[in-house]
Amino acid sequence: MRKNLSLYLLLIIVTIASCRKYDDVFDKSPDTRINETLAAYNDALTGAPYGWRAFVYPSGLPSTAFGFYFKFDTANRVDMFSDFDSLSSVTVRQSSFRLKSLQQPCLLFDTYSYIHVLCDPDASKNGGYYGKGLFSDFEFAIDGIYGDTIKLTGRLNGSKAVLVKATSKEAQDYYDKKRNWEFNNISRFLTYFKQLTIDNNKYDIYVDKLYRQISFVRPDANGVKTISVNYYFDGNGISFSTPFRDGALTFSSLEDIKWDAAGQKMTLKAGENTAIITGVIKPLVVDLTAGQRWYNQAASTGSYWVSTTGFHVNGVDDAYNVTSIAGFSFMFYYPNYGEGYDFAGIVPEGYAYGPAFSPTFKSNGTATFAYPGGGWGEIPDAAAATMSLIVTKYQESEGFYFVQTGNSSFDMVNVKDARSWISWQQ
């Protein structure tokens, strides 16, 4: 009994000592400590004299950075710019913000602003998915402060964000509207194919403006070499998330970009190197099997390819006005539809019509489409002219190149002058 009593007394003494030690370490209540932490973060955010440059990486595009500028004030308001588009990059917008403890310190943007655009459920606002946008966030857990950098993680979608203290010049450039958006003129080339020349180095370049990615492609001793980089806009042009490296050639940005619409060329500096982008009708590297892969991917599953925009011709989107056809839903190409032919049609209001084709895929990477006459469905008079233009385009004797742009997407580009193309997806 005495032995047990001694053990109980010892346990009580140890417990009291532990409590005293705990009280020594945490001499303030949890609420007080949380409020002090939030106050410290608030002081950091509002105390940056020139605000913050920020990069948000939506979880739907984890390698793609969208640039922002934030200037937080002590009245819980934040001025912001965004490099999402050319308007938001030169037009200041204000939002309210809060710092709040939600299991950990969090930065919340309360009112709709540029940062909400990335996660807007209306996909027309950001090019993402309906209901989710680009899977970005406007409520962020604060992971910590590291020198002049604050790291954040989105509470809903887990997107990442990094805030870096801005310099006086960087802040002034935003307010003075010094943003170079010339690179977006890459879509104004009349030809689908573009070629970058840096001294004696030449590359086919393919730009995905949504994913903000550039692929540089050139012939290689082993076949083909492709170097892909993600980019974001800055005051001088675009910067890369990771440097471009190809042998001795290295650069991390494209600057001093100037677009010459009449000459159909873009001059720029690739790092310290003078460079030029020109339109070409044939790439340095032709994907010899892309057309056959496009065909087989649909044929093997009994499915079809869809285009919601029709043919782009000589700088004009939907040059044949398919989207103006009453009830238009999409164009499609259906391999092996029936009677030994493919069905290249239009779907308005649930029924389809269009011509039959028979393709030939050649060893040089091109494909031609023979029209035997006839097809399926009844073409309405209002769509007859459009369908005639489409049939004529398919029958170009030089045929088409195919460029794979994703796991389930291809572009079909005419060989004659590379000024006509259509984008297919499943």
Side-chain angles (χ1 to χ4, degrees):
M1 180 69 180
R2 288 179 180 177
K3 184 176 180 181
N4 289 340
L5 181 61
S6 298
L7 288 174
Y8 293 146
L9 289 172
L10 179 60
L11 179 60
I12 292 171
I13 292 170
V14 169
T15 301
I16 293 172
S18 298
C19 290
R20 286 177 177 171
K21 184 177 180 181
Y22 182 87
D23 290 340
D24 289 341
V25 174
F26 299 106
D27 56 350
K28 299 177 181 178
S29 70
D31 286 344
T32 299
R33 293 197 305 274
I34 289 171
N35 289 334
E36 288 181 347
T37 299
L38 294 176
Y41 283 132
N42 187 73
D43 289 345
L45 290 172
T46 61
Y50 307 114
W52 301 83
R53 289 187 304 125
F55 300 97
V56 177
Y57 298 80
S59 61
L61 303 172
S63 298
T64 301
F66 292 92
F68 291 81
Y69 171 81
F70 298 133
K71 185 69 171 72
F72 299 90
D73 68 22
T74 56
N76 292 104
R77 309 297 292 179
V78 54
D79 285 351
M80 67 175 69
F81 293 91
S82 167
D83 286 342
F84 183 77
D85 57 35
S86 58
L87 180 62
S88 61
S89 70
V90 297
T91 307
V92 66
R93 188 162 183 172
Q94 193 175 79
S95 171
S96 61
F97 77 94
R98 280 185 299 152
L99 287 163
K100 188 175 182 179
S101 178
L102 300 170
Q103 296 184 321
Q104 72 181 96
C106 296
L107 171 61
L108 316 178
F109 294 88
D110 290 316
T111 51
Y112 192 91
S113 58
Y114 294 139
I115 201 163
H116 293 74
V117 172
L118 302 182
C119 49
D120 195 309
D122 181 355
S124 67
K125 304 288 187 182
N126 50 42
Y129 298 89
Y130 281 97
K132 281 292 188 177
L134 298 176
F135 291 83
S136 192
D137 291 277
F138 54 88
E139 295 185 351
F140 294 90
I142 301 175
D143 298 328
I145 299 179
Y146 307 87
D148 288 342
T149 301
I150 298 177
K151 294 184 178 180
L152 310 170
T153 299
R155 296 188 65 243
L156 178 62
N157 293 309
S159 55
K160 298 295 183 180
V162 179
L163 278 61
V164 181
K165 281 185 179 179
T167 65
S168 174
K169 183 180 185 307
E170 288 168 339
Q172 199 60 46
D173 281 350
Y174 271 104
Y175 284 103
D176 289 345
K177 303 180 180 180
K178 293 181 179 178
R179 315 304 294 166
N180 187 324
W181 278 81
E182 287 289 280
F183 187 70
N184 266 353
N185 286 311
I186 198 76
S187 60
R188 294 182 61 193
F189 278 91
L190 294 177
T191 57
Y192 179 90
F193 300 111
K194 275 78 71 175
Q195 191 173 100
L196 171 69
T197 302
I198 308 174
D199 295 329
N200 294 321
N201 302 284
K202 294 183 182 295
Y203 301 88
D204 295 326
I205 63 167
Y206 298 93
V207 179
D208 189 316
K209 292 172 68 175
L210 173 61
Y211 284 76
R212 296 193 175 185
Q213 184 179 81
I214 307 174
S215 294
F216 302 83
V217 183
R218 66 167 177 82
D220 182 76
N222 297 318
V224 180
K225 182 167 187 176
T226 301
I227 303 168
S228 296
V229 298
N230 288 89
Y231 67 88
Y232 56 90
F233 289 90
D234 58 29
N236 299 313
I238 60 173
S239 293
F240 301 158
S241 298
T242 56
F244 169 97
R245 290 190 176 92
D246 187 18
L249 183 60
T250 300
F251 54 93
S252 299
S253 63
L254 301 179
E255 300 182 349
D256 298 335
I257 303 169
K258 296 180 178 62
W259 164 243
D260 179 357
Q264 285 288 292
K265 63 182 179 181
M266 186 176 284
T267 57
L268 59 149
K269 291 188 69 175
E272 297 300 318
N273 307 287
T274 299
I276 186 171
I277 298 174
T278 53
V280 294
I281 65 172
K282 182 180 180 180
L284 295 168
V285 178
V286 175
D287 188 335
L288 300 179
T289 62
Q292 194 69 67
R293 295 199 308 274
W294 167 80
Y295 190 87
N296 291 341
Q297 188 165 323
S300 63
T301 57
S303 59
Y304 51 87
W305 292 97
V306 167
S307 173
T308 58
T309 55
F311 277 96
H312 172 104
V313 182
N314 289 326
V316 179
D317 291 332
D318 187 19
Y320 303 146
N321 297 314
V322 293
T323 58
S324 67
I325 295 173
F328 174 80
S329 295
F330 54 85
M331 287 179 61
F332 66 90
Y333 192 95
Y334 199 138
N336 292 332
Y337 179 78
E339 303 175 25
Y341 292 102
D342 304 339
F343 187 2
I346 292 175
V347 175
E349 300 178 336
Y351 67 96
Y353 55 79
F357 284 109
S358 177
T360 300
F361 297 95
K362 302 179 180 179
S363 60
N364 65 355
T366 66
T368 56
F369 296 86
Y371 175 51
W376 291 271
E378 184 176 347
I379 300 173
D381 291 341
T386 291
M387 188 57 70
S388 177
L389 291 170
I390 291 172
V391 170
T392 299
K393 177 57 64 178
Y394 268 106
Q395 292 183 90
E396 286 189 1
S397 59
E398 298 90 341
F400 295 83
Y401 297 113
F402 282 81
V403 178
Q404 185 161 6
T405 58
N407 291 333
S408 299
S409 59
F410 287 78
D411 288 346
M412 188 173 86
V413 186
N414 78 320
V415 174
K416 181 175 68 175
D417 56 16
R419 290 190 174 204
S420 304
W421 61 85
I422 187 170
S423 296
W424 297 112
Q425 59 187 3
Q426 285 187 316

